[in-house]
Amino acid sequence: MRTEGAPRPTACPDPLVGRRILVAITGSIAAVKMPLLVSALAKRGAEVRCVVTPSAAALVSPVALASLSRHQCYLDADQWSPQAPRPLHVELAEWAELVLLAPLSATSLGRWVHGLADTLLASTLLATEAPVVAAAAMNTSMWQAPPVQRNWQVLSTFERVLALGPAQGLLACDRQGDGRMAEPEQLLMALESVALWGWQRDWQGLDLVVSAGPTREALDPARFLSNGSTGLMGVLLAQAARLRGASVHLVHGPLQVHPGLLEGLICTPVQTAAQMQAALMAAQGQVDAIAMAAAVADHRRVEPMAHKLSKLALGDLWAEGWEQVPDLLAGLVASRPPGQTILGFAAYSGDGLAAAREKLRHKGCDWLFANPIDQPDAGFGSPGNQGWLLGPGGQEIEMQPASKLAIAHQLLTALRPPQLSQPGP
Ligand SMILES: Cc1cc2nc3c(=O)[nH]c(=O)nc-3n(C[C@H](O)[C@H](O)[C@H](O)COP(=O)(O)O)c2cc1C
């Protein structure tokens, strides 16, 4: 996920372009992270307005926020301007298509869930009908305090709210624990998700396992065989499911994605196909669905060399001593419990549809997403993807070029196990 402002390829539209986003900032030290996030949103083509509480205005400069959002930053005093033809909180509430409430302090959380409207920000939150992405941030003991926990529980029942609990880490108060605001990368991804899908939690109560990234098979202690998968598609699929309410376990090889994108997932990092297989088999019994987005190596050394090979000796290595890696997807299909839905991925170059049909038949999974790796806006390392989703009963759905998060949401809608009745947007 990019925070930089480089324009996306037109074939892969950015879901935040032209969206009216209200960034509401309260009095947590994490507010200092917001100006750059506001800048990233503006550079991506969103229309941004900022509103701050008096405490937030003491921690982060409203002038910086105004400059980076290309618009006045609203303060409490603006609510009482004699020039305002309509109440400012109503204007802002109606203007916003999406609200990012970050960081959310204990005080503002309490105000909101108790319906208090004693600041511009608090009255705007009560007045808006836009979806809100809310990210709490506070000292660990404050976060764990029973009244705060009760308020957070109430907030998680609100419609239109995507509540992101704090992450673990070193806090500004020198505590190590829960309390850090979700990383800006995570906030951007959540906003993009709400822009694409909304706040509906149609995967609530379901468990999903996702595999992502490449595997690495050692040749010797210095070298390995791998591929160009960054893991972004699998990570975004996992996050989209989490934001739709699922409990998600991500089994991943070495990733090249921002670490903030892993927040909120149960992660098992692995290196080799054998480790990935063991982790997936261990997780399989308890879950409703599995999505195999990992790019697993096809071959490995029967015995990796114990010592680093010379350049010359490396040349001899290719002739013999190789074995095929077990087919992880076929193994999962063979050992799945009744009712478990399995989605496989197939990377192709050239015309992959015929090969994808054959792979679906041969592997026996329910769904197969065949995606090209030789198109400019798709495949390894690209923010976008496209392809064909093949499913039960001969379904063949062509997926047009879109961001990987948009593709992830489309896959989740198709994959949603039949026991789910609640439809999405
Ligand atoms: C330097 C500093 C850092 C603070 N950080 C936090 C924080 O991370 N989370 C929090 O809930 N309160 C924090 N507070 C306390 C709030 O600013 C205070 O509770 C205030 O009433 C919040 O009001 P607001 O929600 O209207 O901004 C901090 C206060 C100071 C002085």
Side-chain angles (χ1 to χ4, degrees), residues 26-29 53 55-56 59 105-108 111 137-138 142:
T26 76
S28 152
I29 191 64
T53 62
S55 321
L59 290 165
S105 71
T107 303
S108 285
R111 280 196 191 104
M138 63 198 73
M142 285 173 82

Side-chain angles (χ1 to χ4, degrees), residues 124-149:
T124 308
L125 278 178
L126 292 180
T128 193
E129 292 178 14
V132 181
V133 173
M138 63 198 73
N139 158 276
T140 308
S141 301
M142 285 173 82
W143 170 247
Q144 289 169 349
V148 172
Q149 284 297 306

